[in-house]
Amino acid sequence: MTDRPRWYFFAWFAVVAVAHLAIEGWTDTTAIGLPVGFVVTLVLVFVRPLPWWATGEARTGSPRRRLKVAAFAVLWLLVAAAIADGLVEHPPHGADIVYAGVFVALFLGGSAYGLTKLLPKRPVTRRTVLRRRLAFATASVWAVAVFALAAEVAAIVVTGGWLPWFLPVPGVVAVVALALWRSDLLFAARPLASGSWTPVTAAAFDVRPGEPVDGWAVLPEDVRIKFHLPAVPADIAAELRDRRRLWLAGWPSPGLIVGLPDGDSYAIGLIGVHRRGGKNTVTDPAGHR
């Protein structure tokens, strides 16, 4: 158990409060429920200890993750049901259409962000996986864009009213989010797909496969840099440890993309950065920072 405040309960309170105000407005229930809910939220954030069933902090590891996922799913379903009920029972009019669209877009964005935080994270180090993700992201951008356009046309033709003004907001948010994800994948995919490889001299201490490493390298034109590689794949670690060499993909490129010309793994490095506090952290022998 950690002693840090449980800040995420403030986010949950904000989502529920905004959803209620957007759908029901200020009512007698709101006047009582919001202050009481805020007090309960303060207790959940700052008071220790609390029962495990109230906070989801049963144990470290998979049981705790399952509790968090369950709590997120229940909260998401409640808010989604409230939004759907509000839109059906109290259709927005005038400027409320824009407000409703913005709120739904924020809800979808928050849902995606929360899902990424709950899902287990494994660093992608295989080029084949990167290519599959890039293909999926590209197809998703086009599919969501076409679906959003078709839904907009259908709403104009079939329903009319407020729906055609509401749908473009979450549709644009979804397309932009997918486009940003695809752009992030292209950062590594484009240099790797170029087929151009530049060997550079590099050195580091205590290089271990699957762990971060800090070191130094000499780029073309005798440019000396510090670098940081997170979760170095085994073949790249062996090349760095045994041959004191890194292969740069598509150099010059905006980032430090390393791999092997005949391999399938890759890593995205940071230039001019040493992560301090880890077992692979090293100190520049010349005393430079």
Side-chain angles (χ1 to χ4, degrees):
M1 180 182 292
T2 176
D3 291 330
R4 292 179 300 173
R6 307 178 188 96
W7 300 114
Y8 53 89
F9 279 109
F10 278 132
W12 290 8
F13 172 77
V15 170
V16 175
V18 171
H20 180 80
L21 290 172
I23 296 172
E24 300 293 338
W26 188 265
T27 63
D28 294 339
T29 303
T30 308
I32 300 173
L34 281 183
V36 173
F38 185 69
V39 171
V40 173
T41 302
L42 289 176
V43 173
L44 291 172
V45 171
F46 294 109
V47 174
R48 294 185 179 279
L50 285 175
W52 64 266
W53 47 264
T55 63
E57 296 177 342
R59 298 178 183 86
T60 58
S62 57
R64 179 179 178 179
R65 179 174 294 277
R66 285 195 293 268
L67 285 171
K68 286 187 176 182
V69 171
F72 177 82
V74 171
L75 179 63
W76 188 91
L77 288 174
L78 290 174
V79 177
I83 293 174
D85 180 72
L87 291 175
V88 173
E89 298 295 331
H90 308 282
H93 302 282
D96 291 340
I97 296 175
V98 178
Y99 300 149
V102 171
F103 174 75
V104 170
L106 292 175
F107 171 71
L108 294 177
S111 301
Y113 178 79
L115 189 61
T116 59
K117 289 297 183 181
L118 289 174
L119 291 176
K121 298 176 177 59
R122 297 185 178 89
V124 179
T125 59
R126 313 300 298 184
R127 294 182 222 169
T128 52
V129 176
L130 177 64
R131 287 193 291 268
R132 286 199 297 267
R133 288 192 176 186
L134 180 61
F136 177 78
T138 302
S140 298
V141 171
W142 285 102
V144 171
V146 171
F147 176 80
L149 181 61
E152 178 68 11
V153 172
I156 294 174
V157 174
V158 177
T159 63
W162 60 272
L163 191 59
W165 299 95
F166 169 82
L167 286 179
V169 178
V172 169
V173 170
V175 172
V176 170
L178 289 171
L180 290 175
W181 178 41
R182 181 178 181 275
S183 176
D184 185 58
L185 295 174
L186 276 175
F187 181 80
R190 186 176 284 119
L192 291 170
S194 68
S196 172
W197 293 94
T198 303
V200 298
T201 302
F205 298 140
D206 195 19
V207 181
R208 303 180 186 183
E211 295 189 4
V213 64
D214 293 328
W216 293 267
V218 182
L219 300 181
E221 300 181 1
D222 200 32
V223 177
R224 300 174 184 272
I225 64 165
K226 294 189 295 185
F227 68 85
H228 173 79
L229 294 176
V232 185
D235 53 352
I236 298 176
E239 185 79 2
L240 177 60
R241 181 183 60 245
D242 302 335
R243 299 188 179 182
R244 295 181 176 270
R245 182 173 63 184
L246 289 176
W247 289 87
L248 306 183
W251 189 263
S253 66
L256 193 71
I257 315 298
V258 302
L260 292 179
D262 56 350
D264 184 48
S265 61
Y266 76 97
I268 302 176
L270 301 176
I271 297 177
V273 175
H274 276 186
R275 299 295 193 194
R276 301 190 179 277
K279 68 174 74 175
N280 290 334
T281 300
V282 296
T283 304
D284 190 340
H288 301 302
R289 290 182 177 273

